[in-house]
Structure formats: C-alpha cells, structure tokens
Amino acid sequence: MRDDNDPTTMQQLLDRIRASSEGLEQVPVANILEAVGERSFGPVVLLAGLITIAPLIGDIPGVPTLLGLVVVLTLGQLLFRRHSIWLPSWISGRQIPRGKLVKGVDWLQRPARFLDRMTKPRLTYLVNGPGLYVMALICIAVALAMPAMELVPFSANGGGAALMAFGLAIVVRDGVVALIATTITGLTLWFIASTLIL
C-alpha cells in the first residue's frame, strides 16, 4: 500500500526522521511513524532496517527485537489488507534518545545518497501484487529471527540490511533490490543457523 505523501527516496525518509525529533530530548516511536507515514508499509520496514544497522541505535540491547516486532505487526496488517498501521501504545510510546537518533541519521546520509542514485523502478512485478506479499512474508521471517540475531554477533546487521533492502525495494518499486534483499536474507539466516548449530 502506498500513500501519495510517502517518501520516495531514502534521503526523504532520513529528512523526515530528523524533523520528527526537533525540539525533543527523547523521540517516541509514534513521532517517527507519523513522520514517515502511518499508511506507509514500505517506509516503516525501511526505517526498521535503517535503525537496526545504524551505529549507536541498533547496538542498544533489545532494539533489534523491538523493531522486529514492529515489522511483524506492520506487515501482518498488510497481509490482512489494512489501510493504515496500528501499533500498541507500549511500542509506539517507546522512546529513542534524540542524540543517538540524529547521529545515526547523519551516519546514514552518505549511503542513502549512493543508494538513491543506484535505485529506480525495475522489475516492478516483483514488488507489486503477489510479489509484495511474498516480500512481506520473508520480512516477517527475518523479524521473527531478530531475538536470535541479538545472540549471534553481527547477524542483526544482516537482518537489518535485509529489512532495509526490502523496504527500499517497496519504496522505489525496484525488483532488483528485492532480489538482493532475498539473497541477504538467505545468507543471514544461513549464518545464524550455522553459528547456533556449531
């Protein structure tokens, strides 16, 4: 699902996140969601991935698991064809220190500009209709694995990268990015499984 006011690039998304924190010392999740669009499933997944891989923010214990829960709830509503995103107050009311949020956003500026130059609408059948629902199911699988990822060093970064790539694929309608995201997912889940088994 997509709203006319949805961000269409990573740079736009980061600008909205920064704007949502103005004048606050602690930024509620609800503020960030409202800034990126409460009808925007793709930007929310992209946001969850960005925060997971951002230094200082994604390293906070419990944050990857919390973001995984946000993804599960968000995409679960997409699968049930809801037209807007609802999160329970104990999630939407959680707060992130503004200093860490802004530093994370600043760190992401350069890769965001690079990715915005490299992405465009391609193989759009992979990110529309049935393809969108397949991506949603894969993202839910990644999100459900987030608690395990917190136990396996560096794997949460892989999960965050996969979510970021899937979210970006939805935002810019780029099927090539969706294929890359699927590959990242497979490699990350293989790494987790092999590490836990050994």
Side-chain angles (χ1 to χ4, degrees):
M1 308 238 175
R2 189 168 188 162
D3 187 271
D4 290 340
N5 293 319
D6 282 359
T8 56
T9 65
M10 283 186 66
Q11 192 66 55
Q12 288 179 10
L13 186 74
L14 294 177
D15 290 344
R16 292 189 187 192
I17 295 170
R18 178 185 283 277
S20 74
S21 70
E22 292 295 333
L24 300 173
E25 291 186 6
Q26 299 285 330
V27 187
V29 170
N31 284 38
I32 301 173
L33 262 184
E34 183 178 356
V36 303
E38 293 177 322
R39 295 170 56 86
S40 310
F41 294 94
V44 170
V45 176
L46 175 55
L47 172 67
L50 286 172
I51 292 177
T52 301
I53 66 173
L56 301 176
I57 309 173
D59 295 335
I60 300 173
V63 166
T65 296
L66 176 66
L67 293 169
L69 186 55
V70 169
V71 169
V72 169
L73 290 173
T74 298
L75 293 180
Q77 292 172 69
L78 169 64
L79 293 175
F80 283 100
R81 299 175 183 262
R82 278 183 61 92
H83 296 289
S84 61
I85 298 167
W86 171 86
L87 292 176
S89 59
W90 63 271
I91 293 180
S92 61
R94 288 290 294 268
Q95 298 182 332
I96 298 173
R98 183 178 188 272
K100 290 188 174 184
L101 182 66
V102 170
K103 284 182 181 178
V105 167
D106 289 344
W107 182 85
L108 290 165
Q109 292 289 340
R110 181 174 293 179
R113 287 193 292 270
F114 171 77
L115 290 171
D116 285 342
R117 289 195 301 269
M118 299 298 292
T119 55
K120 60 184 179 181
R122 294 175 288 192
L123 303 179
T124 54
Y125 64 90
L126 292 175
V127 294
N128 289 314
L132 178 61
Y133 294 105
V134 170
M135 282 197 298
L137 290 171
I138 297 173
C139 287
I140 288 173
V142 172
L144 290 173
M146 278 295 182
M149 291 182 190
E150 292 208 49
L151 302 175
V152 180
F154 310 112
S155 62
N157 290 332
L163 293 177
M164 183 196 75
F166 277 120
L168 183 61
I170 296 170
V171 167
V172 301
R173 298 292 190 262
D174 194 332
V176 172
V177 176
L179 293 174
I180 293 171
T182 303
T183 302
I184 295 172
T185 300
L187 291 173
T188 301
L189 295 179
W190 172 83
F191 176 72
I192 294 169
S194 61
T195 301
L196 292 177
I197 290 171
L198 296 175

